[in-house]
Amino acid sequence: MITVRELIEVAGMDTTDVLAGEAFLDKELHGVTSFDSPDGHLWLRPGEFVLTTGFPFVAQGRETASGLIQLIDALAERGTPGFAIKLGRYIDALPEAVIDRANERQMPVLSFPMEKGWSDVIVPVTSYINAKQRQELDRTHAIYERFHRHLTSGGSVENLAELLYHILERPISIYLRTPRKKLDVPASVTHAPPLEKLLGRTGPNASAREPLTRYRDRHLIRWLLHNGETQGAILLWEVERDLHPWEKVAIEQTAALLSLEIERHQTLAAACQRFRNDFLHLLVGGCDASRDLLYRKAEEAGWSLADHYAAAVLSDAGAPDIMHTWRERVSLLEALRSEWEHISPSVLCGLDRENRILLLFPADAGSAEPSPEAVESVKRIARRHTRPLCLGIGRLHPGLEAVPHSYREAVIACRAALNAVSNASADGQSAPLVVRWFARLGLERVLFAASPEQEARRLADECLNSLNRYDRERNGQLVRTLRAFLEADGNHAVAAEKLFVHKNTVKYRLHLIRELTGLQPECGRDQLLFRIALTVHSAG
């Protein structure tokens, strides 16, 4: 294509021949034609520049301005970039009303010299357009060759950014979510907005994006979409005009090679994650593998293994589209891994056998649960998710052999969180992340267990073993006191009367029970747990 301004020069005309629409001479055209019939505009193609004498529009006694205004309106509707009219033959000059209408419709109008014939414009302009198209084809072919050489030589993403910069001669920024890369060429580009924020959240809305969009009317962004999710972007700085075809080719070639890099990285990451998932299944499955074997397999998975872990299970409320849910979980897992990739020993993350996200937080032996910072990092990532997430956190049980116990507790806590999300949704409320700690569960730890009876027996062992041991070793009355206190509905005086002891003795024994079990006998929630434990204990 060429502009009206170029047409003036190629046709041997002068800017003094511009009668109207001088501000719109940079409109593009792809051909020149002529007509002198009242309905000739009906057969015009968009982008065709028109040559005319104006005769049909002033003949048959019609008023000159009215006929030409109708012509301008008709051409504008057809997408005509402008027209030239022979003055002095049928029309001596353009009326002011016609000039005003041409400016209003952004229609350049030229004075076509009397001495020139139609072919004096059509032939050179057509030749010029053909020459430009040949140049475009040659340039496009050269660009394809450069990108082909980059691909066959195994060029890096950094080399690709440099290549695009040298072709476009325009500062660019490239951001990839996976593999995580941020490139500015030249490196002095400092006014770039955070592309991570421009990418926004992943999910259904990402797939609706136009691949090439404007940013703040001054820059262009070529989004990189993969499996319906935005995985990166190419940002061209200070490009207010429309791109030439060869520039678009260069951008699309860059986008294609970056998409290949994303696909390659995700394929490798998926294979690595499957290996890591298998290791996590081994770790939480209660196998009899030696510590040496576990440490060796952890090293093969790229992890440094800590001595103690607290397990957590992350899930969402689900979606009708199972594959969409799967992609979201994989994307969420990638975000979590990126969050913790620089931590040592790292948080172990993968998918359990139910395709829930499994997290193992390294912890000190004296800690009862993961650090608040670890939970906060999950909350930050959850805010970018499209649906509420449920996080269940198990207690810390010292040693690698105890990880299955923490995992079982995390699953129960996650089910309790899912139940809370269902209730909140029914009430019209929702939160980005619902967290449940197993250590803070009441009756839910039994209700949401895979085997409520077995969980009740575990609860009985946890609550009463230490008390029975104390009673045996010190001839104490802790279990009997606890039972009497619960039967008295938490009344110290009534319990003391039944036990034939002073009320302060009951309070002292309850204090010992708190220290030995970590539960509060006076607390209604913990009283329920004690009741379940005593019932199971009595049943034998």
Side-chain angles (χ1 to χ4, degrees):
M1 288 188 182
I2 68 171
T3 63
V4 177
R5 193 184 306 278
E6 289 176 290
L7 177 142
I8 293 172
E9 182 178 351
V10 171
M13 300 167 67
D14 194 272
T15 53
T16 58
D17 295 323
V18 179
L19 304 176
E22 188 172 4
F24 312 108
L25 297 181
D26 291 320
K27 294 179 72 172
E28 291 187 328
L29 58 102
H30 59 68
V32 181
T33 188
S34 64
F35 73 80
D36 262 332
S37 61
D39 58 353
H41 62 278
L42 297 177
W43 292 275
L44 290 178
R45 296 282 183 257
E48 287 183 319
F49 190 87
V50 171
L51 308 178
T52 181
T53 64
F55 172 73
F57 306 97
V58 297
Q60 301 175 348
R62 287 197 292 179
E63 194 263 324
T64 300
S66 174
L68 290 178
I69 286 174
Q70 289 180 16
L71 172 63
I72 290 171
D73 290 339
L75 295 181
E77 293 299 324
R78 303 297 294 184
T80 301
F83 70 95
I85 188 169
K86 278 186 177 290
L87 294 182
R89 181 71 175 99
Y90 302 104
I91 301 173
D92 294 328
L94 286 187
E96 285 298 325
V98 175
I99 294 175
D100 291 342
R101 178 56 66 91
N103 289 327
E104 179 185 334
R105 300 303 297 262
Q106 302 182 7
M107 178 73 64
V109 182
L110 310 182
S111 174
F112 191 71
M114 288 294 294
E115 68 275 8
K116 285 186 175 293
W118 301 140
S119 61
D120 293 333
V121 173
I122 295 175
V123 172
V125 169
T126 302
S127 299
Y128 183 80
I129 291 174
N130 291 337
K132 284 195 70 173
Q133 288 177 339
R134 283 195 298 271
Q135 291 175 0
E136 288 280 356
L137 289 173
D138 292 342
R139 194 161 194 174
T140 300
H141 179 73
I143 288 172
Y144 278 121
E145 286 293 325
R146 294 179 70 173
F147 280 97
H148 178 72
R149 287 196 298 271
H150 169 87
L151 180 63
T152 54
S153 65
S156 65
V157 173
E158 289 77 9
N159 297 144
L160 186 61
E162 291 283 346
L163 174 59
L164 183 62
Y165 166 69
H166 288 302
I167 289 175
L168 300 182
E169 297 181 347
R170 187 75 54 185
I172 66 166
S173 295
I174 291 178
Y175 175 77
L176 299 180
R177 193 190 298 276
T178 52
R180 184 173 290 275
K181 284 186 181 292
K182 173 70 165 60
L183 303 171
D184 294 314
V185 185
S188 59
V189 175
T190 57
H191 57 294
L195 283 176
E196 298 90 333
K197 292 184 179 179
L198 289 180
L199 289 177
R201 67 178 60 186
T202 61
N205 291 336
S207 60
R209 278 180 167 156
E210 289 293 332
L212 190 63
T213 58
R214 284 217 165 267
Y215 175 67
R216 292 181 179 174
D217 296 328
R218 297 171 48 222
H219 318 297
L220 281 173
I221 298 180
R222 172 53 164 92
W223 301 108
L224 302 174
L225 306 178
H226 186 73
N227 289 333
E229 294 183 351
T230 309
Q231 293 294 339
I234 306 168
L235 199 150
L236 277 63
W237 299 104
E238 306 296 338
V239 183
E240 299 182 35
R241 59 171 174 79
D242 291 335
L243 294 178
H244 296 300
W246 60 269
E247 292 175 311
K248 293 180 181 179
V249 167
I251 294 172
E252 291 306 312
Q253 286 291 293
T254 303
L257 294 183
L258 289 175
S259 296
L260 286 175
E261 178 66 15
I262 292 171
E263 179 69 29
R264 184 187 70 83
H265 184 272
Q266 291 190 347
T267 300
L268 292 175
C272 178
Q273 189 59 57
R274 283 195 294 272
F275 184 81
R276 289 181 167 184
N277 292 344
D278 290 342
F279 171 71
L280 291 176
H281 299 162
L282 179 70
L283 197 58
V284 303
C287 70
D288 296 327
S290 66
R291 292 179 67 89
D292 288 341
L293 176 62
L294 292 176
Y295 276 99
R296 186 171 70 252
K297 285 189 170 295
E299 186 177 356
E300 291 172 354
W303 282 330
S304 57
L305 207 57
D307 293 328
H308 314 286
Y309 285 98
V313 171
L314 184 65
S315 186
D316 56 26
D321 185 350
I322 296 176
M323 286 305 297
H324 178 71
T325 303
W326 165 261
R327 286 195 294 268
E328 279 198 340
R329 288 183 182 176
V330 170
S331 177
L332 184 60
L333 184 61
E334 178 65 29
L336 291 166
R337 184 166 48 241
S338 299
E339 179 83 10
W340 299 317
E341 61 186 355
H342 301 301
I343 301 175
S344 183
S346 62
V347 177
L348 310 187
C349 52
L351 298 176
D352 67 6
R353 295 193 183 278
E354 301 297 324
N355 284 329
R356 296 168 300 213
I357 293 179
L358 170 60
L359 309 172
L360 296 182
F361 294 99
D364 297 328
S367 174
E369 54 194 29
S371 67
E373 293 79 9
V375 179
E376 283 300 318
S377 64
V378 179
K379 288 182 178 179
R380 285 196 301 273
I381 294 171
R383 293 189 191 102
R384 304 198 297 264
H385 201 63
T386 56
R387 285 188 305 278
L389 295 172
C390 304
L391 180 66
I393 302 175
R395 295 174 295 187
L396 175 77
H397 299 275
L400 293 178
E401 64 279 0
V403 170
H405 301 304
S406 184
Y407 169 66
R408 173 183 54 79
E409 295 174 352
V411 170
I412 294 173
C414 183
R415 289 173 180 158
L418 283 167
N419 181 69
V421 167
S422 299
N423 293 335
S425 299
D427 296 336
Q429 302 174 346
S430 62
L433 180 68
V434 176
V435 184
R436 290 292 182 269
W437 306 75
F438 182 84
R440 304 171 194 175
L441 293 181
L443 180 61
E444 298 97 332
R445 66 174 285 181
V446 177
L447 290 177
F448 295 109
S451 174
E453 181 180 353
Q454 290 184 8
E455 190 60 35
R457 293 189 179 281
R458 292 190 187 96
L459 174 62
D461 291 341
E462 286 181 21
C463 293
L464 302 181
N465 281 355
S466 57
L467 303 184
N468 285 324
R469 189 183 311 112
Y470 182 93
D471 289 346
R472 286 194 307 271
E473 295 175 354
R474 304 195 183 189
N475 195 27
Q477 298 289 317
L478 296 186
V479 174
R480 183 166 175 249
T481 299
L482 176 62
R483 190 184 299 277
F485 180 71
L486 294 177
E487 289 175 351
D489 292 327
N491 189 304
H492 297 86
V494 173
E497 184 178 343
K498 291 182 66 174
L499 294 168
F500 302 104
V501 298
H502 192 273
K503 183 172 64 174
N504 288 341
T505 300
V506 172
K507 291 183 177 180
Y508 173 71
R509 290 175 179 175
L510 294 178
H511 173 72
L512 289 177
I513 291 172
R514 281 196 299 271
E515 288 187 341
L516 291 172
T517 65
L519 298 176
Q520 305 284 342
E522 294 92 347
C523 171
R525 185 205 66 174
D526 290 351
Q527 283 182 5
L528 183 58
L529 295 179
F530 278 127
R531 288 180 187 276
I532 295 173
L534 289 171
T535 301
V536 172
H537 183 263
S538 300

